[in-house]
Amino acid sequence: MSDEAGFSRRYAWYVVILLTAAYAVALLDRIVISLLIEPIKQQFGLSDSGVALLSGAAFGLCYSIMALPFGWLADRANRRWIVTFGIASWSIATALCGVARSFTGLFAARVAVGIGEASLNPSASSIIADLFSGPARAKAYGVFVAGTSFGTGAAFLLGGAAIDAADAVRAHGGALLADFATWQIVFLLTSLPGLLVAALFVATVREPKRRERDTTTASPPLLPFLRANKGAVASVIIGLCCNLTSVYALIAWYPVVLIRVHGWSQSDAGYALGVIGPPAALVGAIGSGWLIARVNAAGRKDAALLVAIVASVIYGAMLVLSGLVADANLSLVFYFLGSLCSNSFSAAAFSALAQLAPNELRGRLTGLYTLMIGLVSLNLGPVSVGLFSDYVFGEQRLNLSFAATVALDSLLASVILLAGRGPYRRSVGAT
């Protein structure tokens, strides 16, 4: 069975699954550093806010800066090649993290990871919008966002396994790996899956025909669209970026809370989070896409925002509790409950932006969203916790720094998204 895009429904879902795998690899390469913060901090003599630059600013600045150029390309060029280039380049950059011998070298390699990963969201969002229409599009975005669950799980599980296997890998590597630290070997091992996904993507995916595109006029400029829909666009991008700020604080620092505050080993923390968090986030990612589609079909044009608001309240409450309780096992229970909502934010963002923007602007609007994620979420999430730790609560009460960051971000996100419902309904009602 084929649809109006010219592809079978089975093939369309195959492409979504492959894009989901790419998203998973991106998260793997992006966040495995959270398990390695303590040894990196010790090797280079860094403070909490200093090491947060590696997980936040080093990656986030170039990730954000390159989002708009890649969004511009996604609206004009072959998205299949953009995605392939991006996956291969960030995988190679992750390997370069593993051969870094200085803070400067590691910082530069993390910058390169950010540049490569900036290519994925604008092109993937645009491809999915051209493969699906109507309610199926929100469902497809939900599956795509599930890649963050797989990537987070892989980062924690494979990271923990790589830490345990580092000695054996070092022994088999002989003189080549003899003086490599464990954290360096982990980076080398986690760089490999992306190269396989890149090869599969270029070999099996075809560039889809662009849907709903006005071919009679030149591609419209972005700024007039933003001015005409400023309330809707601002509420979606800023509100959901606040949510993702708390998510990146969780990714960067919750493993360290288990290690530093609760006394767990790096590998034990990795295994526990890899088993507990991703299944919950996977259910939330797919479930939120289906829920948005269902609420939208019931006539609620602001379905994506409504789902994001409810998810924000639940996520904030659960993760604050996970940071405040003294028992590690109870903390993990609240972590699990909060993770049920963690992927709802990205699913809501992709669905809302695709609903707002015409085909000719989807890549650039998603690029603008990615820019804000990089400038705000990826930087402020990890760095806020580090600053609270260094200047307010102290290193040994990292759990309080984490809880404070999540509480502030979730509250701000809920207020912004509530205020944006009216402008959003007016904008989508006019299209």
Side-chain angles (χ1 to χ4, degrees), residues 311-337:
S312 180
V313 173
I314 297 173
Y315 175 87
M318 294 300 101
L319 268 300
V320 168
L321 288 172
S322 75
L324 294 180
V325 297
D327 181 75
N329 292 323
L330 185 56
S331 177
L332 284 170
V333 170
F334 288 124
Y335 169 84
F336 172 84
L337 295 174

